[in-house]
Amino acid sequence: MFYRRKSYIVAPEIVESFNKHFNETLLPTQLKYGSRLIGRWMVPQTKGPVEIFAIWEYESFEEYEKIEEKVRSDQAHVERVKAWYDQHGGREHVWKHYLLEVKNEQIVSTVVKENSQAR
């Protein structure tokens, strides 16, 4: 199995819209092409930037790459993403002012299989 953690440090003023965008636009397309979401969380903050992260599971790194290619090739999806960016001043503006840090990284388990309750 291949696991990935996608994390964002997000300006507080865009958190609500960003979470809605994930649930209404990004997640359905990922699921359509076979991604498996383990979960998505955020670290609550009373003020300042907010960390939001998701854990995804794939059969292999190759499967992950194939799914991502399908997502990027889905023209209707690409248009919905562009529309969201445009609502917030355009892609460049969002990346400069609202998405303060983004990471997409492989994660590996540190749990010894004998101690795991996972199937």
Side-chain angles (χ1 to χ4, degrees):
M1 295 299 241
F2 175 78
Y3 293 92
R4 106 181 141 102
R5 178 181 189 264
K6 183 80 181 244
S7 62
Y8 305 85
I9 304 297
V10 179
E13 60 268 27
I14 203 161
V15 168
E16 185 176 336
S17 177
F18 187 61
N19 286 335
K20 182 178 179 187
H21 175 57
F22 175 82
N23 283 288
E24 294 179 1
T25 304
L26 304 177
L27 180 59
T29 304
Q30 287 287 334
L31 297 176
K32 173 181 174 181
Y33 293 113
S35 292
R36 289 183 301 278
L37 179 67
I38 301 299
R40 186 171 186 266
W41 302 267
M42 63 185 218
V43 178
Q45 300 290 329
T46 55
K47 58 184 175 179
V50 175
E51 180 182 6
I52 300 172
F53 62 95
I55 307 294
W56 299 88
E57 177 186 66
Y58 305 88
E59 290 297 321
S60 65
F61 179 74
E62 292 75 22
E63 180 193 44
Y64 158 67
E65 288 182 315
K66 287 177 187 175
I67 290 170
E68 287 301 305
E69 178 59 34
K70 289 175 184 176
V71 169
R72 287 189 299 273
S73 298
D74 184 320
Q75 200 55 42
H77 171 75
V78 170
E79 290 299 319
R80 287 189 299 271
V81 171
K82 183 183 181 310
W84 182 82
Y85 277 116
D86 289 348
Q87 288 175 352
H88 298 286
R91 185 178 191 91
E92 186 176 310
H93 180 77
V94 169
W95 280 85
K96 185 174 183 180
H97 298 285
Y98 300 128
L99 298 180
L100 308 176
E101 183 179 332
V102 178
K103 291 183 182 177
N104 187 29
E105 51 203 353
Q106 178 182 9
I107 57 174
V108 295
S109 177
T110 62
V111 176
V112 177
K113 284 194 180 214
E114 299 84 50
N115 295 335
S116 175
Q117 294 180 5
R119 296 170 215 196

